[in-house]
Amino acid sequence: MLVLLPPSEGKAASGRGAPLKPESLSLPGLAGARAAVLDELVGLCAADQEKAREVLGLSEGLRGEIAKNVELRTAGTRPAGEIYTGVLYDALDLASLDAAAKRRAGKSLLVFSGLWGAVRVGDRIPSYRCSMGVRLPGLGALGAYWRDPMARVMPEAAGDGLVLDLRSSAYAAAWKPKGELAERTASVRVLHSQLVDGVEKRSVVSHFNKATKGRMVRDLLVSGARPKGPAKLVETLRGLGYVVEAEAPVRAGRPWSLDVVVTEIH
């Protein structure tokens, strides 16, 4: 099973470990594309802070993120699973997993990134600021920029198993599975169900959507479940106590759509 995750906007500080070693990152087929984005981002932030703030969509209070980007090649690193923070990663709580679940996380979790394309949670990276929605002057919109490189590496990364897609729309734009691979992909959204004047109303609530996805991934890792496809994933999640409504694709070459329905916001 391969689980596709979004990163977090906020990130932990860079570690005290050795500086970035690009050749050590997973998915080596992305090396050239990563180098181009890194060069462009560092150059932009070093040359013109005001332009960099505008391009990166940062408020005045986040100006310090620009200086962080300037130091990307020399800053200390730590595992990506420690760099990414926020609601989903708090709920996932990788650090508290037992050894077996941590090994499964290292093999199955893939975090999409505007800067790196995608990394595994064990890859050592510095803290940075560059979302997939950024349009770098020399490369254009990153969501579009990453499509070709990701299309070349993702089929091999996915192997022949289930792909569980938990990315937000901005990161999903960087790679969409096709053909037979799409048919064993399940994209998930989380819906909050509540009664309003006796009528059920459903809505997507960002905070609680992320927290539920984090808990769901954690439960799958802890359980050791290895569903072979979307239909088995539905069975597995229901067995773990989730209310899941599944929609099989109406045409060949399309992914499954799963709704996880919850009634309480945590």
Side-chain angles (χ1 to χ4, degrees):
M1 178 173 65
L2 183 67
V3 182
L4 310 182
L5 298 174
S8 56
E9 283 297 314
K11 297 172 183 69
S14 295
R16 296 182 178 179
L20 174 70
K21 296 179 180 178
E23 70 278 6
S24 72
L25 299 179
S26 301
L27 307 182
L30 298 178
R34 285 171 176 151
V37 179
L38 183 62
D39 287 347
E40 177 82 5
L41 181 62
V42 171
L44 169 69
C45 292
D48 188 336
Q49 282 200 4
E50 204 54 44
K51 182 177 180 180
R53 190 167 70 85
E54 179 182 341
V55 168
L56 297 175
L58 301 177
S59 66
E60 181 63 35
L62 291 174
R63 184 179 288 272
E65 299 291 279
I66 299 170
K68 179 191 296 185
N69 283 347
V70 174
E71 304 298 327
L72 282 172
R73 292 192 179 90
T74 57
T77 58
R78 60 201 298 184
E82 297 177 13
I83 289 288
Y84 296 118
T85 59
V87 176
L88 188 154
Y89 291 90
D90 286 347
L92 175 53
D93 195 8
L94 287 168
S96 69
L97 292 173
D98 62 37
K102 284 181 179 177
R103 285 194 296 272
R104 288 190 282 271
K107 294 178 180 178
S108 63
L109 305 187
L110 195 65
V111 185
F112 273 59
S113 163
L115 175 54
W116 313 115
V119 292
R120 297 195 184 275
V121 292
D123 288 343
R124 298 191 66 92
I125 58 173
S127 187
Y128 67 96
R129 190 68 173 235
C130 184
S131 71
M132 192 66 81
V134 163
R135 180 183 292 273
L136 290 175
L139 298 178
L142 290 177
Y145 170 82
W146 280 111
R147 284 176 196 153
D148 285 346
M150 296 304 296
R152 290 193 292 270
V153 303
M154 283 303 297
E156 181 179 356
D160 58 2
L162 167 72
V163 177
L164 174 55
D165 190 353
L166 303 180
R167 298 172 297 166
S168 57
S169 57
Y171 290 89
W175 178 69
K176 297 184 186 299
K178 297 180 179 180
E180 181 272 336
L181 178 52
E183 294 172 9
R184 48 187 167 88
T185 298
S187 61
V188 174
R189 65 176 180 172
V190 179
L191 299 178
H192 177 221
S193 172
Q194 56 184 330
L195 289 178
V196 178
D197 297 327
V199 178
E200 183 192 28
K201 301 289 186 180
R202 292 183 174 183
S203 59
V204 176
V205 183
S206 178
H207 175 99
F208 134 84
N209 168 57
K210 294 174 183 176
T212 301
K213 287 179 177 178
R215 285 194 294 271
M216 183 173 65
V217 174
R218 180 182 178 87
D219 288 344
L220 287 168
L221 293 171
V222 170
S223 73
R226 300 178 65 183
K228 297 298 185 182
K232 287 295 183 181
L233 173 65
V234 173
E235 292 180 16
T236 300
L237 290 175
R238 287 172 177 167
L240 291 171
Y242 292 90
V243 177
V244 182
E245 297 177 355
E247 183 178 331
V250 295
R251 295 201 301 267
R254 297 293 180 89
W256 284 54
S257 297
L258 274 56
D259 285 341
V260 175
V261 183
V262 295
T263 56
E264 296 181 359
I265 297 178
H266 302 287

